[in-house]
């Protein structure tokens, strides 16, 4: 592998890790939404399931901390990249979209549907 391929590989892995963590955070928030909805539908006291819901929120907080660390890693890799003299390897939009182009109407694309409990 040449330098460009190695750099592209690391950049791809970093982007993949960032997207995976964002997906995990979104799924965990959906879990909490589901827990609250289930409690409401079952007419349970807010105390019911409070411990497990608090643990899920702790997990989200930990994932948010991990995301901050990945962002810091990204910044450090960019510094290393410049410091090693590789210059600008690739430039483009900062928000890397998925394979499809987002809608240009100003509305967010819908990737998941809310579940009824």
């Amino acid at each position: 592998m040449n330098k460009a391929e190695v750099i592209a590989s690391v950049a791809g892995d970093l982007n993949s890790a960032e997207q995976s963590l964002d997906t995990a955070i979104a799924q965990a928030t959906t879990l909490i939404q589901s827990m609250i909805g289930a409690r409401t539908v079952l007419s349970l006291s807010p105390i019911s399931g409070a411990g497990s819901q608090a643990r899920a929120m702790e997990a989200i907080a930990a994932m948010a901390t991990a995301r901050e660390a990945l962002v810091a890693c990204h910044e450090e890799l960019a510094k290393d990249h410049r410091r090693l003299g590789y210059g600008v390897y690739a430039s483009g939009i900062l928000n890397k979209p998925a394979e499809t182009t987002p809608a240009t109407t100003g509305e967010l694309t819908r990737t998941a549907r809310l579940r009824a409990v």
Side-chain angles (χ1 to χ4, degrees):
M1 292 178 85
N2 64 31
K3 288 180 185 179
E5 292 171 336
V6 172
I7 292 168
S9 174
V10 171
D13 290 342
L14 176 61
N15 187 31
S16 176
E18 290 170 338
Q19 287 180 354
S20 295
L21 194 49
D22 284 346
T23 299
I25 291 169
Q27 289 174 337
T29 57
T30 300
L31 169 64
I32 292 174
Q33 178 186 7
S34 177
M35 293 167 78
I36 293 169
R39 190 188 75 229
T40 302
V41 168
L42 297 173
S43 300
L44 298 174
S45 163
I47 296 170
S48 298
S52 58
Q53 191 172 327
R55 296 289 185 241
M57 286 189 246
E58 286 176 19
I60 291 171
M63 286 186 274
T65 301
R67 190 178 191 294
E68 289 174 9
L70 267 180
V71 168
C73 173
H74 197 141
E75 292 169 356
E76 289 299 319
L77 279 172
K79 288 178 191 175
D80 291 339
H81 186 80
R82 287 187 303 274
R83 193 175 16 252
L84 292 170
Y86 295 125
V88 176
Y89 175 72
S91 61
I93 58 175
L94 296 178
N95 252 349
K96 298 175 184 87
E99 296 297 318
T100 60
T101 306
T104 57
T105 61
E107 294 181 11
L108 296 175
T109 57
R110 303 201 193 289
T111 58
R113 297 177 57 88
L114 294 178
R115 294 185 325 209
V117 181

